[in-house]
Amino acid sequence: MLNATVIRRSDLSSELIILSVRPDAAVKEFIPGQYVALGLLGSAPRPDSLPPETEIVVPNNLIKRAYSICSSPSNRTELEFYIGVLPLGALTSRVAALKPGTRLFVSTKITGTFTLQPVPPQANLVLIATGTGIAPYMSMLRTADTWTAGRHITLVHSVREGRDLVYLDELRALAARQSAFTYVPTVTRDDASWQGQRGRVQKLLETGILAPDPLHDHVFLCGNSQAISEMEASLTGRGFVLRTKTIQGNIHEERYD
Ligand SMILES: Cc1cc2nc3c(=O)[nH]c(=O)nc-3n(C[C@H](O)[C@H](O)[C@H](O)COP(=O)(O)OP(=O)(O)OC[C@H]3O[C@@H](n4cnc5c(N)ncnc54)[C@H](O)[C@@H]3O)c2cc1C
C-alpha cells in the first residue's frame, strides 16, 4: 500500500512544508498543473506539539488527499509537493511528522484539468495563487513548453507573512533572467520585515496594480476558495469568462478547500 519514500523535507514555518518524494516506480507522464493523491495510514504518528485529534481515526485506513505537483514532468522519479499543515487536518497533521526515509502512498493516477493545454500558445498567462496554491504554477514555470514565443507570464503569490514566500529566491532569479516574466509577491499580514507589495490579491485587481486583459490574457486562480470566488466575480465583471467543461473560457480555477 505504501509505495513511495520521503527523500527531503524543508520546513518554512511550522505550517508549510516542501516535501520531495520518490515513488518506488517512476510515475506515468503528467502535465504541469495536475495533481496526485498522497496518503498515510491512520496509525501514522502526529507530532506531540499538535492538539489531539477529536475524531476517531481507524489505524488501518489510508487517509488520502489531492496535492498539486510542484516539480516538472521532466523528472518522473522524484516529485515535489508544497503542503500546508492544518493542526487538526486528518492527513496534514500526519504529514507534519514525516521524515526522510518515511514511507507513504502516492497514487499511480495523476489527473486534473488545471493545465495550460486549453490555452492558445500566443496568450499571456496571469497566474494567481493564495498560499499553497502556487504549487501547480511551479510545475508550469519549471517546464520549457510553457515559455512560448511572445508570451508574457505574470505570477502573483499572496501569502500571510514574508517567510511564507517559499519560492522567493527561485522566482526572483527567474524574473531576473527572463524578461517575459513578472513576479508579484504580496503579503497580507503586518510583517515589518517585508519591503514589497502588501494586501490581498483582490486588492491588486481593484486598484489596477494588476490589470489583466480579456483579449490577450488567460487568468489562472488557485488556492483558497473564497478568494477565488471574489477574483472570479471581479474578472467576469471585466469581460473574462469562466472556463467549464463546455465553455472555452479564459478564467481557469483550482479550489483547494
Ligand atoms: C485538486 C487539489 C489540489 C490540492 N493541492 C494542494 C497542495 O498542493 N497543497 C496543499 O497544501 N493542499 C492542497 N489541496 C488540499 C488538500 O487536498 C487537503 O484538502 C488539505 O491538505 C487538508 O487535508 P487534511 O486531511 O489535513 O484536512 P481535512 O481533515 O481534510 O480537513 C480539515 C478541515 O479543514 C478544511 N480545509 C481543507 N483544506 C484547507 C485549507 N487549505 N485551508 C483551510 N482549511 C482547509 C476542510 O474543509 C475541513 O473542514 C488540494 C486540493 C485539491 C482539491
Side-chain angles (χ1 to χ4, degrees), residues 82 127-135 137 156-160 188 200-202 221-228 231 254 256-257:
Y82 177 32
L127 311 175
I128 303 180
T130 61
T132 52
I134 196 173
Y137 305 145
V156 182
H157 189 197
S158 166
V159 293
R160 282 181 289 187
T188 54
R200 285 157 24 109
V201 71
Q202 296 87 315
L221 305 173
C222 186
N224 175 270
S225 201
Q226 195 190 327
I228 290 179
M231 287 186 280
E254 189 84 285
Y256 278 3
D257 53 332

Side-chain angles (χ1 to χ4, degrees), residues 48-256:
D48 292 338
S49 54
L50 294 182
E53 278 179 305
T54 46
E55 290 184 23
I56 295 166
V57 176
V58 179
N60 288 332
N61 273 8
L62 190 63
I63 307 165
K64 288 191 280 182
R65 299 285 183 269
Y67 293 94
S68 306
I69 301 172
C70 300
S71 42
S72 163
S74 61
N75 185 349
R76 291 192 281 127
T77 56
E78 195 179 308
L79 302 176
E80 182 181 300
F81 300 96
Y82 177 32
I83 300 179
V85 173
L86 303 174
L88 288 173
L91 185 66
T92 56
S93 68
R94 289 172 171 77
V95 166
L98 289 177
K99 295 195 279 260
T102 312
R103 302 282 290 163
L104 76 164
F105 168 81
V106 177
S107 169
T108 51
K109 186 180 167 204
I110 301 181
T111 187
T113 55
F114 190 70
T115 73
L116 300 177
Q117 275 194 328
V119 181
Q122 71 278 12
N124 297 320
L125 304 177
V126 180
L127 311 175
I128 303 180
T130 61
T132 52
I134 196 173
Y137 305 145
M138 292 312 298
S139 183
M140 294 174 186
L141 295 170
R142 287 165 164 174
T143 301
D145 290 352
T146 303
W147 299 92
T148 53
R151 165 179 281 172
H152 192 93
I153 304 177
T154 304
L155 171 70
V156 182
H157 189 197
S158 166
V159 293
R160 282 181 289 187
E161 299 172 48
R163 65 178 182 163
D164 299 339
L165 292 165
V166 291
Y167 293 108
L168 187 72
D169 292 347
E170 179 176 339
L171 293 169
R172 278 187 172 159
L174 182 60
R177 67 172 187 274
Q178 176 58 275
S179 59
F181 178 61
T182 307
Y183 173 45
V184 187
T186 179
V187 165
T188 54
R189 274 197 194 157
D190 196 21
D191 174 351
S193 63
W194 176 246
Q195 304 290 318
Q197 193 70 49
R198 284 176 186 278
R200 285 157 24 109
V201 71
Q202 296 87 315
K203 195 190 92 183
L204 304 187
L205 280 174
E206 284 156 18
T207 54
I209 292 170
L210 193 63
D213 165 10
L215 287 180
H216 303 109
D217 302 345
H218 274 240
V219 180
F220 282 67
L221 305 173
C222 186
N224 175 270
S225 201
Q226 195 190 327
I228 290 179
S229 296
E230 289 174 28
M231 287 186 280
E232 180 195 309
S234 166
L235 289 164
T236 51
R238 293 155 198 244
F240 279 88
V241 174
L242 179 63
R243 182 184 160 78
T244 64
K245 277 186 186 145
T246 50
I247 299 171
Q248 295 279 332
N250 48 10
I251 304 174
H252 308 249
E253 296 183 353
E254 189 84 285
R255 293 169 186 255
Y256 278 3

